[in-house]
Amino acid sequence: MIVFEFLINAISLGSLYALIALGLVIIYGILKMVNFAYGELIMIGGYLLYLVGLNTNIPWLIVAVIAVIGAMVVSYFTELVAFRRVRVKSLTALLITTFAVSTLLQNGALLVISPRAKAVALPQIFSTSISIFGVGTPVRNILTIVISISMLIGLTILFRYTILGIALRAAADDFQMTRMLGVPANLVISSAFVISGAIAGVVSLFWVGRTASVTPTIGQGPLLIAFVATVIGGMRSLVGAVVGGFVYGVIFSFIGVLLPQVLLDYREAFMFLIVILILLWRPEGLVKVKYAEERVG
Amino acid sequence: MLRVEHLRVRYGAITALHDISLSVEEGELVALIGVNGAGKTTIISTIAGIVKAVNGSIIFRGQSLIGKSPEDILRLGIAVVPERRHIFPSLTVEENMRLGAFSRHNRSEYRRDLDEIFGLFPVLKERFHQIGGTLSGGEQQQLAIARSLMAHPELIMLDEPSLGLAPSLVDQIFSLIVTLQSRGTTILLVEQNVERTLEIANRLYLVNTGRIEMEGSPEQLKSQAAIKDVYLGEGKSGGGKP
Amino acid sequence: MKRHRLEAWLSHHSTVIILAVPLLVIAAITDLLAGSLLIRLATAMFVSMIIVIGMQVFMGNSGILAWVHVGFMGIGAYIASVCSMTPQMKAIAIPQVYPFLLNIHLPFWPSILVGSAVATVVAAAISYPLMRLSDAAAAITSFALLIIIHAVLVHWDRVTNGPRTLFGIEEYTTLWISVVCAILVLIVAYFFKESSLGLRLRASREDYHAASAMGINITQVRYFSFLISAAIAGFGGGLFAHYITSFTPDAFYLIETFNILAMLVVGGPLSISGAVIGTVLVTVAREGVRAIENTINLNHLLPFEVIGLTEVFLATILILSLILRPQGIMGSRELRWKPKKNMDETNKAK
């Protein structure tokens, strides 16, 4: 039955990682840019949980919604204010800009709040355990799985059946042609950033939930995870990112249990080595997509 | 309807268009012909708002198109079917079509438009739920044109629609273009298949290395020796140099 | 005629002098007039300049941003330190150091060169495939490489003492050593840029396909330039280690990458003059704001501590620079001496 508990852990981590990856790839698929500031959106969510959660009496669920909306708003504005103007110049300039925004947000949190970790209000339910089939497991894990899968389903519906979703997928295929059909470029891009922010917001609830605290650098971990997951699964497809994230999370859990202690420290380096090898062998990722890359002009 | 004057376009240090002036009247089928690299696609891209002109003017129904974005230009009534089709390979035919109708605000028209399109392109109805990337070349070309029609454009610019298609399909496409014109759509056609183009166009412009070398009706152009020489191989020098 | 040719040659290559002389002047003034704090800051600035120029060599000429650059700086720093530290010191600072490393004890300059060499070898081993990747994939792979190098530095504690501070390095890098090395690197960068290899690389930056069609083997050209860039980074890393005398792997990771990027982008990635000017300007601005930050904190001028103000300021400057002037201050021009025409010529023109 330890196996069962471990399985729930692995699936929980896998779903969370899948979600993390999706948030990053939504932007990459359309704009061919890696948003280095993505991790900081998760940080924003965490800090809102701290600021609003610990200093007011608002029920946690509302605080969580505020955190998610906060991440969406920040994501939208980083695009509007910084990325949009640099977007037309060059991809390299854009990447550096996202990096600079990431530094700005991190140090902004440091400056405005504190370099020290801050405790975050979490609902009571996060720390309780329940018993399934006689096995104890934190409720948090179950919630992670349920919420992640719900979000993935919700996003699938968005992408498949709404005109916005179709426009986003079309933009990922061929951004210029999408514009030639009358779809406003800025609408597509802003939507992608808002959706990415929403995902980051939800992720922050569970990411922060693992340590019950938030620091300015808390976004770095998820960013690297999204990185690895996206490369494994394929930077060209949303499905690929989700699969990649899930696989990464599960493998990570497995390695955590199986490897001898000595090598455990190298777990991260190991994963990144796999990243490099995959990039060199199959730059498009493991999930097969047939069409060549193009860049937004 | 569309008036282009003294258009000048540069790609970096290279001047792609030197001094292009042309016009398209309502209801006409105007064609741009010329060899590869002459600048025909550049002209289309500039009108469509994808490429920025250094100099010159583009007026459509009294409005200047210079500086406008591709999406604005579509909304003004000009649709583009680019070279090599550019359908969305990972989207289904249905999704491609829905996107084509993006600029239309009246949802109820969608079904009616779709039925009309199916009348012109029956094969698309069959393949309605198929993924775009799995369609054949000819079907993709039809999809590209059909998709643009969903936006009810007044002027449609077609860039090499017959490229890479089997002869029977080429017939189909050309008769389709004629049908479109008869329904009232103005057409600006870029083609390398000069023979067929001379049959259907009202007027043609011969483009060569970024300049308009000749313009006129099909009869006028046919009688010019250059055309005969180069494109139809009837002259004394046979198929030779431009 | 001869005078013209000489003038033309001098004008063409005057960049090196125009850049080198002010640097020497800064060093001299600082040495003579300033206190030890400013001397240290100036030394740090010249060391950073070496890293920035190293990045410029690859990025300016190829148009590709090598996120991994600072990782090579780290490799150079650690290897040079291990070489130059005395065995006694090594035994204390790196408790589990490998025996064969323990007994290595090289003088300063050989240590620096070994550090640079190792960085170059690592670059040679890992980066050839990188050269063929497209924009986005190259950026991601390069970044992933930086993360890997960092992870290795953090975990290979028998060489690096792991995430803990490595201390006990002798302070060999003086103000004058750093400025002279910066000028040497500047000269190398300049002659690389003007060399056939540099020209070919710049052609590939301007127009990939045209250059390829001209027969330039772009992958190869990029690869060699990348190695030179890594060698400079390793060299600078060694100098850095012997200036700061103690550091952790985090000194060669995201924060340093950000600093180097800020200096290069503000000055202008396409020119060496840009790299130099950017380094000076950003260092001055950064230390100025940091001084303000410290004054506020130490004197409790505000009811709370301001930490991170410097970085927020720098990040804002970088973002504004990218929005308003992405080509940096210098753009693609180098500072040049343009000799005035002599009287005969101006008379003829009339």
Side-chain angles (χ1 to χ4, degrees):
Chain A
M1 278 304 115
I2 294 209
V3 174
F4 191 69
E5 183 182 341
F6 165 73
L7 267 178
I8 297 202
N9 269 338
I11 296 179
S12 161
L13 200 63
S15 358
L16 189 59
Y17 280 21
L19 211 52
I20 293 177
L22 186 60
L24 189 68
V25 169
I26 283 181
I27 306 286
Y28 183 84
I30 302 176
L31 293 173
K32 300 297 170 285
M33 70 182 252
V34 180
N35 184 8
F36 282 111
Y38 176 64
E40 274 59 54
L41 297 176
I42 298 177
M43 180 199 80
I44 298 275
Y47 271 108
L48 282 171
L49 281 177
Y50 156 70
L51 284 172
V52 180
L54 278 190
N55 297 324
T56 65
N57 278 325
I58 303 177
W60 191 84
L61 212 52
I62 310 275
V63 178
V65 169
I66 293 178
V68 173
I69 293 181
M72 287 162 75
V73 167
V74 171
S75 184
Y76 175 76
F77 275 107
T78 57
E79 196 277 318
L80 185 67
V81 172
F83 303 155
R84 185 171 296 192
R85 319 238 173 135
V86 185
R87 192 209 309 159
V88 294
K89 296 188 178 155
S90 80
L91 179 65
T92 302
L94 192 51
L95 288 182
I96 302 177
T97 308
T98 67
F99 195 63
V101 168
S102 162
T103 305
L104 179 65
L105 290 174
Q106 266 189 51
N107 286 283
L110 217 140
L111 180 66
V112 169
I113 302 178
S114 164
R116 283 183 290 276
K118 290 295 180 189
V120 165
L122 291 174
Q124 192 63 353
I125 201 172
F126 266 34
S127 27
T128 58
S129 293
I130 64 168
S131 233
I132 309 183
F133 304 120
V135 177
T137 181
V139 174
R140 194 178 10 100
N141 278 349
I142 307 287
L143 271 178
T144 307
I145 298 178
V146 168
I147 301 288
S148 299
I149 297 195
S150 309
M151 266 215 100
L152 289 171
I153 294 179
L155 287 167
T156 308
I157 295 177
L158 175 80
F159 279 111
R160 226 168 240 265
Y161 298 113
T162 66
I163 192 72
L164 176 66
I166 296 176
L168 285 167
R169 281 161 49 211
D173 262 357
D174 193 331
F175 191 79
Q176 201 174 75
M177 190 65 224
T178 315
R179 296 179 74 182
M180 295 200 278
L181 291 177
V183 181
N186 290 334
L187 174 70
V188 169
I189 296 177
S190 293
S191 307
F193 270 89
V194 166
I195 296 176
S196 176
I199 295 178
V202 171
V203 167
S204 74
L205 302 176
F206 294 104
W207 191 264
V208 163
R210 302 191 321 170
T211 55
S213 68
V214 59
T215 74
T217 54
I218 200 173
Q220 274 179 18
L223 179 70
L224 297 188
I225 290 169
F227 222 59
V228 172
T230 322
V231 166
I232 294 177
M235 309 219 64
R236 281 284 305 141
S237 92
L238 301 176
V239 171
V242 169
V243 168
F246 193 77
V247 166
Y248 181 27
V250 170
I251 293 184
F252 205 70
S253 302
F254 267 100
I255 295 182
V257 175
L258 293 178
L259 270 192
Q261 185 58 37
V262 173
L263 289 181
L264 207 57
D265 290 330
Y266 281 92
R267 186 159 57 155
E268 251 179 41
F270 194 64
M271 291 304 316
F272 279 102
L273 196 59
I274 295 185
V275 166
I276 299 274
L277 291 175
I278 292 179
L279 267 177
L280 298 178
W281 166 50
R282 262 268 257 273
E284 331 84 47
L286 293 177
V287 175
K288 245 191 173 19
V289 177
K290 315 160 212 177
Y291 314 107
E293 286 223 339
E294 250 190 314
R295 207 181 71 76
V296 170
Chain B
M1 194 192 211
L2 175 72
R3 175 146 288 132
V4 174
E5 263 159 22
H6 304 300
L7 201 60
R8 189 182 175 81
V9 170
R10 291 229 293 260
Y11 292 133
I14 301 174
T15 304
L17 299 180
H18 289 273
D19 183 5
I20 299 284
S21 297
L22 57 89
S23 68
V24 181
E25 298 308 323
E26 190 160 354
E28 275 194 308
L29 199 169
V30 173
L32 303 178
I33 57 176
V35 294
N36 258 333
K40 315 188 295 294
T41 299
T42 308
I43 296 175
I44 300 289
S45 300
T46 313
I47 300 175
I50 301 165
V51 171
K52 300 235 174 310
V54 171
N55 235 333
S57 73
I58 307 175
I59 312 277
F60 179 71
R61 287 205 181 295
Q63 277 211 46
S64 168
L65 298 187
I66 299 278
K68 288 206 163 37
S69 65
E71 47 263 45
D72 288 335
I73 291 177
L74 182 289
R75 281 170 199 274
L76 285 176
I78 302 180
V80 188
V81 181
E83 209 180 358
R84 278 183 271 276
R85 306 175 266 278
H86 284 264
I87 57 143
F88 300 114
S90 69
L91 268 54
T92 64
V93 170
E94 172 183 14
E95 289 167 337
N96 269 276
M97 299 296 285
R98 274 184 75 179
L99 213 50
F102 186 91
S103 58
R104 310 292 297 172
H105 294 293
N106 201 332
R107 299 286 167 215
S108 59
E109 278 179 10
Y110 173 68
R111 268 256 70 96
R112 192 190 59 193
D113 288 340
L114 214 52
D115 288 330
E116 220 180 307
I117 298 284
F118 286 150
L120 286 171
F121 306 89
V123 71
L124 292 182
K125 185 170 184 177
E126 280 172 45
R127 307 233 182 276
F128 200 48
H129 296 290
Q130 199 170 321
I131 303 249
T134 60
L135 296 176
S136 74
E139 290 161 351
Q140 284 190 5
Q141 186 62 68
Q142 293 187 47
L143 176 58
I145 300 178
R147 180 180 64 182
S148 303
L149 290 176
M150 291 298 282
H152 288 243
E154 295 179 46
L155 167 67
I156 185 167
M157 303 195 288
L158 297 154
D159 197 347
E160 310 233 16
S162 72
L163 193 65
L165 295 184
S168 58
L169 289 174
V170 172
D171 286 337
Q172 212 176 40
I173 294 290
F174 273 93
S175 69
L176 180 69
I177 296 177
V178 172
T179 311
L180 283 181
Q181 188 193 11
S182 67
R183 281 156 40 111
T185 314
T186 311
I187 301 181
L188 180 58
L189 175 67
V190 167
E191 257 299 336
Q192 281 208 60
N193 188 334
V194 177
E195 202 177 317
R196 302 299 305 273
T197 309
L198 283 171
E199 289 170 18
I200 64 172
N202 298 131
R203 269 189 310 123
L204 301 101
Y205 290 91
L206 173 58
V207 184
N208 197 358
T209 54
R211 293 188 168 83
I212 304 279
E213 213 167 78
M214 225 182 284
E215 87 170 79
S217 68
E219 294 71 37
Q220 287 173 321
L221 258 65
K222 266 193 237 181
S223 65
Q224 300 283 333
I227 298 271
K228 280 194 207 157
D229 262 350
V230 177
Y231 297 102
L232 302 180
E234 288 175 10
K236 284 182 219 156
S237 39
K241 45 178 211 50
Chain C
M1 245 342 252
K2 265 198 184 158
R3 181 161 155 233
H4 269 262
R5 281 226 205 110
L6 181 62
E7 268 187 9
W9 189 89
L10 272 179
S11 163
H12 198 58
H13 296 299
S14 58
T15 305
V16 174
I17 301 177
I18 295 183
L19 290 174
V21 168
L23 294 182
L24 288 170
V25 168
I26 294 176
I29 294 181
T30 313
D31 196 20
L32 291 173
L33 300 178
S36 61
L37 176 64
L38 277 181
I39 291 183
R40 277 188 70 76
L41 284 178
T43 311
M45 179 179 81
F46 291 123
V47 171
S48 294
M49 196 177 286
I50 293 175
I51 309 292
V52 174
I53 295 179
M55 187 172 239
Q56 197 280 332
V57 164
F58 186 67
M59 180 181 177
N61 295 310
S62 73
I64 299 173
L65 179 53
W67 292 90
V68 65
H69 190 73
V70 161
F72 296 129
M73 176 189 178
I75 294 177
Y78 273 102
I79 298 293
S81 303
V82 168
C83 288
S84 77
M85 283 166 76
T86 64
Q88 297 90 328
M89 187 49 93
K90 253 180 282 194
I92 304 172
I94 313 176
Q96 298 180 326
V97 69
Y98 293 114
F100 80 93
L101 287 179
L102 181 65
N103 293 316
I104 297 178
H105 183 47
L106 298 175
F108 175 59
W109 287 110
S111 303
I112 303 285
L113 292 176
V114 169
S116 176
V118 171
T120 313
V121 166
V122 172
I126 63 180
S127 65
Y128 192 78
L130 190 66
M131 302 301 129
R132 274 178 304 161
L133 294 176
S134 69
D135 255 358
I140 294 165
T141 310
S142 201
F143 191 70
L145 283 174
L146 175 66
I147 299 172
I148 291 193
I149 292 180
H150 177 256
V152 169
L153 291 176
V154 165
H155 291 122
W156 205 357
D157 49 7
R158 298 196 69 179
V159 175
T160 65
N161 199 30
R164 296 167 290 279
T165 308
L166 179 65
F167 56 86
I169 302 132
E170 290 276 347
E171 190 180 341
Y172 283 123
T173 306
T174 67
L175 175 66
W176 286 103
I177 287 183
S178 66
V179 69
V180 168
C181 286
I183 293 176
L184 281 174
V185 166
L186 196 160
I187 295 176
V188 167
Y190 179 78
F191 281 107
F192 168 77
K193 182 176 177 188
E194 300 290 322
S195 74
S196 122
L197 186 58
L199 274 171
R200 280 181 279 160
L201 189 60
R202 279 187 287 150
S204 79
R205 183 194 76 207
E206 293 296 321
D207 190 328
Y208 185 93
H209 294 292
S212 202
M214 267 166 45
I216 298 177
N217 185 338
I218 297 186
T219 307
Q220 220 176 53
V221 163
R222 280 182 183 168
Y223 183 59
F224 286 121
S225 318
F226 189 73
L227 294 188
I228 295 177
S229 177
I232 296 177
F235 180 69
L239 288 174
F240 174 77
H242 292 84
Y243 150 74
I244 204 165
T245 71
S246 70
F247 50 85
T248 72
D250 278 352
F252 311 107
Y253 199 33
L254 299 174
I255 300 178
E256 186 64 16
T257 302
F258 173 72
N259 283 326
I260 302 296
L261 273 177
M263 293 173 186
L264 186 57
V265 169
V266 164
L270 292 179
S271 70
I272 302 172
S273 310
V276 170
I277 292 178
T279 307
V280 173
L281 283 179
V282 169
T283 303
V284 167
R286 184 181 67 199
E287 295 309 320
V289 178
R290 203 188 299 275
I292 297 176
E293 192 179 314
N294 288 337
T295 314
I296 295 180
N297 288 336
L298 289 174
N299 298 323
H300 301 290
L301 293 177
L302 290 172
F304 47 85
E305 290 222 316
V306 282
I307 305 179
L309 182 66
T310 309
E311 285 72 25
V312 167
F313 175 74
L314 268 186
T316 311
I317 297 284
L318 181 54
I319 295 173
L320 284 174
S321 180
L322 285 163
I323 293 178
L324 298 173
R325 204 179 155 86
Q327 71 275 35
I329 292 176
M330 287 309 299
S332 52
R333 295 171 301 131
E334 297 282 3
L335 287 174
R336 282 233 159 96
W337 168 64
K338 295 202 169 65
K340 296 204 184 83
K341 293 201 163 103
N342 60 28
M343 286 307 288
D344 289 321
E345 278 196 56
T346 35
N347 283 334
K348 270 189 210 164
K350 284 185 197 154

